[in-house]
Amino acid sequence: MTSAIRFTHPGPPEVLRLVPIARPEPAAHEVRIRVHAAGINNADLLERRGHYPVPPGAPEGPGLECAGVIDAVGADVDGWSIGDEVCALLAGGGYAEEVVVPATQVMPKPRSLTMVEAAGLPEVACTVYSNLGMIAGLTAGQTVLVHGGAGGIGSFAVQWAKAIGARVIATAGSDAKAAAARTFGADVAINYRDEDFAAATLAATDGRGADAILDIVGAPYLERNIESLALDGHLVIIGGTTGPTTLDLWELMSRRASVSATLLRARPAAQKAAIVAGVIRDVLPLVDSGAIRGAVDAVFPLAEAGRAHALLESGTTVGKVVLDATAERL
């Protein structure tokens, strides 16, 4: 037996409970990871509230990323061995002492990061790289607007964009968070409660606008995001409020701009494998060089996942909230 966080019905953070479960066994294409730490993401909060449908076939329980040590390897797996220190992109079940995951979604733990820091890497790195790198094609010399620049995804996006040579404009919900975004490398940080981010973005780019926008807000920002785009710009929507909205196609066409909306969790295995391979090739060297650092706000024991969710929901965090699974084995 082993232990994992589960909930029997949607609800507040208190529904999360650490319970015993059968020890997972890896399939031929999988490895099993003895989890040291697991990252928490907004998708986990939505799942707990009953607002994020779990993809068919996903492991039970919340948790989309972890770091730890491989302790079992499937028969068809090459390139990974028992004892390897790794982090992994999961489809679910990461709040646990042990998880199984396709070997193609595993990456080496960066030498420059602790296990706790590495646990908060896979989901944000794969999200940022797949959207800003693979879809929007952000390159050196371009300008990107990152919404929520002090959050888990935003703090990584700011650092990655700066590391590849882009100019970064970030939004944040307070002066303190705007200051935090600057510490991650933002050239311009906008407190969206005090300033209109579209006007501020245009002012910061001499009216040109941003070449790419990473949006976590959704429908309420759509019109102003389009206004903020440069010619041939690309808006990528990765979360936030959904539902009916209005899109001025002329504004889009006149900018020769494009809009994408993506979710990472439900992508097919082949797409996830390609994204993870790209992160290993193009992103992890930047982490190991120190150009991208871990950004962890708070760490909780695995058994206190409810408290961790409550903190993330408070909106006061900078960077990631992480669960420490080793405390349960002491």
Side-chain angles (χ1 to χ4, degrees):
M1 298 293 287
T2 185
S3 298
I5 294 292
R6 296 286 189 265
F7 60 96
T8 58
H9 57 277
E14 291 75 22
V15 302
L16 298 175
R17 291 284 185 270
L18 184 67
V19 298
I21 64 168
R23 192 180 197 193
E25 295 296 334
H29 66 292
E30 295 177 325
V31 301
R32 185 174 64 211
I33 299 173
R34 189 166 178 83
V35 177
H36 283 224
I40 297 178
N41 294 277
N42 284 324
D44 303 338
L45 310 186
L46 293 172
E47 180 182 344
R48 191 205 74 230
R49 298 177 199 142
H51 298 155
Y52 195 120
V54 177
E60 183 181 358
L64 302 178
E65 58 186 351
C66 73
V69 177
I70 292 177
D71 70 359
V73 178
D76 295 340
V77 172
D78 293 319
W80 296 112
S81 302
I82 292 173
D84 288 345
E85 293 189 341
V86 297
C87 52
L89 178 70
L90 310 174
Y95 298 5
E97 293 182 311
E98 292 180 300
V99 297
V100 294
V101 58
T104 54
Q105 292 169 215
V106 177
M107 57 190 81
K109 184 188 80 67
R111 297 182 300 275
S112 62
L113 301 184
T114 65
M115 282 288 187
V116 165
E117 291 169 333
L121 172 72
E123 175 74 13
V124 295
C126 290
T127 296
V128 170
Y129 180 78
S130 63
N131 285 285
L132 288 182
M134 298 172 71
I135 294 177
L138 185 70
T139 59
Q142 293 186 321
T143 297
V144 61
L145 170 60
V146 176
H147 290 299
I153 289 176
S155 60
F156 188 91
V158 170
Q159 292 186 80
W160 175 79
K162 285 299 294 183
I164 68 166
R167 184 168 186 249
V168 181
I169 301 172
T171 66
S174 68
D175 289 342
K177 286 195 171 188
R182 292 188 190 95
T183 68
F184 293 123
D187 299 282
V188 178
I190 303 162
N191 181 344
Y192 63 79
R193 300 186 192 279
D194 295 337
E195 294 184 78
D196 177 78
F197 74 79
T201 297
L202 292 173
T205 57
D206 296 324
R208 181 179 177 276
D211 299 289
I213 300 175
L214 187 67
D215 179 46
I216 60 170
V217 178
Y221 274 15
L222 182 60
E223 182 177 349
R224 283 183 291 163
N225 276 333
I226 300 300
E227 293 174 7
S228 303
L229 279 175
L231 295 178
D232 301 305
H234 198 118
L235 164 64
V236 182
I237 303 169
I238 60 171
T241 304
T242 58
T245 187
T246 300
L247 175 61
D248 187 332
L249 291 178
W250 177 253
E251 288 292 330
L252 202 63
M253 294 164 62
S254 64
R255 287 173 168 78
R256 302 187 300 275
S258 53
V259 179
S260 298
T262 73
L263 292 173
L264 179 61
R265 187 179 189 181
R267 282 178 180 258
Q271 290 187 19
K272 288 184 180 179
I275 293 168
V276 169
V279 169
I280 293 172
R281 181 186 65 244
D282 298 332
V283 179
L284 293 194
L286 298 174
V287 179
D288 275 328
S289 74
I292 299 174
R293 66 183 192 274
V296 175
D297 184 281
V299 182
F300 291 84
L302 180 61
E304 296 181 18
R307 287 184 57 214
H309 271 221
L311 176 63
L312 187 56
E313 286 180 329
S314 73
T316 61
T317 56
V318 172
K320 299 282 292 196
V321 178
V322 176
L323 297 173
D324 180 355
T326 65
E328 313 313 319
R329 293 194 284 263
L330 296 179

